């Protein structure tokens, strides 16, 4: 694996590979890699011959009160893990390489229609930061495929929409969420949980499962199901940002008795200082 931190060297290396007919796949990450990230990398290996992973903790997608400076950075361990997965290129630019004119002066990309809901309401500007960095990485790497986790379901929906709206010739592939033995979705932020909260944290997935099971059993009382799920989470000590049942494709909120068939149940809730995010898809 070659580790590169400058755009010009990444481009030169990839151009040489592409001239030999190589198909490139990109896996964008913020590092502190866990099994969920590695499943994305393994999927990448299956779909194209040149695998590029990026690690960049993107300041544009963090709010002023968020954990940008304390976000876990573990480059040496990450490099070892990616090496073991036969990754071809690891791209680790610093902030001035990506934002040479400053973060605030950079051109931005946004999709307001899918961003002004769910996490977008609780993290203003977050998805504009995500769209901008992903767009920029797409332009740098020019992959034919890019891989993202279904764990961040809204992010995946926004990136698919961005890429189709802007006619990007890139296949966007989603990979199912990797979980701990007790069901908690793996996340770099799980390590912020104290021991007591770590035991409680899987309740978010259990609540999603309970709601999914009710829908599978025929309930279309979507509003009522969400209210009851929120009460369960609050009773367990979570502060709930949202618990919604929506259409998978356009993220429209489902009302009681709506007839949508491809549904996603999404939750975001905080335990202590740690914001947890999870979702379950169901087709009926
Ligand atoms: P991050 O480093 O958190 O920005 O995540 C980089 C990529 O890994 C994103 O596409 C995430 O959706 C994906 N990802 C993070 N956690 C998981 C997980 N538990 N299972 C699958 N994909 C994940």
């Amino acid at each position: 694996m070659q580790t590169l931190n400058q755009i010009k060297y990444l481009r030169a290396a990839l151009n040489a590979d592409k001239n030999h007919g190589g198909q490139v796949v990109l896996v964008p990450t913020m590092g502190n890699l866990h099994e969920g990230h590695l499943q994305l990398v393994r999927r990448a290996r299956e779909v194209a011959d040149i695998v590029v992973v990026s690690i960049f903790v993107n300041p544009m997608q963090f709010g002023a009160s968020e954990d940008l400076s304390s976000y876990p950075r573990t480059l040496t361990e990450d490099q070892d893990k990616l090496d073991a997965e036969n990754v071809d290129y690891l791209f680790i630019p610093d902030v001035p390489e990506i934002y040479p004119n400053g973060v605030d002066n950079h051109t931005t990309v946004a999709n307001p229609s899918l961003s002004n809901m769910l996490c977008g309401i609780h993290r203003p500007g977050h998805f504009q930061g995500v769209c901008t960095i992903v767009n920029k990485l797409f332009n740098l790497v020019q992959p034919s495929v890019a891989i993202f986790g279904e764990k961040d379901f809204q992010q995946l929906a926004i990136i698919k929409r961005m890429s189709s709206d802007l006619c990007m010739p890139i296949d966007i592939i989603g990979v199912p969420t990797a979980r701990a033995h007790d069901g908690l979705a793996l996340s770099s932020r799980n390590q912020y949980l104290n021991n007591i909260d770590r035991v409680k944290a899987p309740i978010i997935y259990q609540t999603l499962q309970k709601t999914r099971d009710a829908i599978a059993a025929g309930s279309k009382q979507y509003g009522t199901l969400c209210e009851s799920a929120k009460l369960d989470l609050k009773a367990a000590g979570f502060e709930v940002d949202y618990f919604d049942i929506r259409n998978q494709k356009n993220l429209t909120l489902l009302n009681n008795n709506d007839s949508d068939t491809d549904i996603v149940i999404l939750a975001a809730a905080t335990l202590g200082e740690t914001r947890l995010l999870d979702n379950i898809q169901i087709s009926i």
Side-chain angles (χ1 to χ4, degrees), residues 27-37 39-40 61 71 147-153 155 175-179 184-189:
V27 184
T29 81
M30 298 203 299
N32 190 238
L33 303 178
H34 52 63
E35 186 58 26
H37 296 111
Q39 291 193 6
L40 269 54
Q61 71 190 66
Y71 194 83
I147 315 269
F148 295 86
E150 290 177 356
K151 151 100 173 21
D152 299 284
F153 193 91
Q155 169 175 283
V175 170
T177 301
R179 299 180 180 281
L184 177 65
L186 297 182
S187 163
S188 305
R189 292 189 168 102

Side-chain angles (χ1 to χ4, degrees), residues 56-97:
F56 180 62
V57 183
N58 175 31
M60 197 191 276
Q61 71 190 66
F62 283 75
S65 61
E66 294 182 358
D67 55 346
L68 173 63
S69 60
S70 60
Y71 194 83
R73 289 159 168 92
T74 49
L75 183 58
T76 311
E77 291 90 331
D78 292 352
Q79 277 177 309
D80 290 345
K81 289 176 186 172
L82 296 174
D83 228 356
E85 298 294 337
N86 287 323
V87 165
D88 296 285
Y89 297 104
L90 170 60
F91 182 49
I92 47 161
D94 63 11
V95 173
E97 181 72 4

Side-chain angles (χ1 to χ4, degrees), residues 184 189-195 197-198 201 271-272 274 276:
L184 177 65
R189 292 189 168 102
N190 290 350
Q191 60 199 271
Y192 299 155
L193 291 164
N194 66 30
N195 291 343
D197 287 344
R198 177 61 190 81
L271 258 186
T274 312
L276 301 170

Side-chain angles (χ1 to χ4, degrees), residues 161-180:
R161 179 71 66 83
M162 173 185 81
S163 121
S164 107
D165 281 354
L166 299 180
C167 304
M168 297 170 163
I170 303 173
D171 235 358
I172 308 296
I173 295 184
V175 170
T177 301
R179 299 180 180 281

Side-chain angles (χ1 to χ4, degrees), residues 79-142:
Q79 277 177 309
D80 290 345
K81 289 176 186 172
L82 296 174
D83 228 356
E85 298 294 337
N86 287 323
V87 165
D88 296 285
Y89 297 104
L90 170 60
F91 182 49
I92 47 161
D94 63 11
V95 173
E97 181 72 4
I98 294 295
Y99 299 114
N101 300 310
V103 177
D104 294 338
N105 298 318
H106 198 276
T107 303
T108 55
V109 181
N111 177 285
S113 74
L114 294 178
S115 301
N116 292 338
M117 58 172 85
L118 300 165
C119 285
I121 292 175
H122 298 272
R123 303 185 69 188
H126 171 69
F127 288 117
Q128 178 166 308
V130 170
C131 283
T132 301
I133 188 62
V134 170
N135 196 336
K136 186 146 183 163
L137 289 168
F138 282 0
N139 286 330
L140 294 176
V141 174
Q142 302 193 353

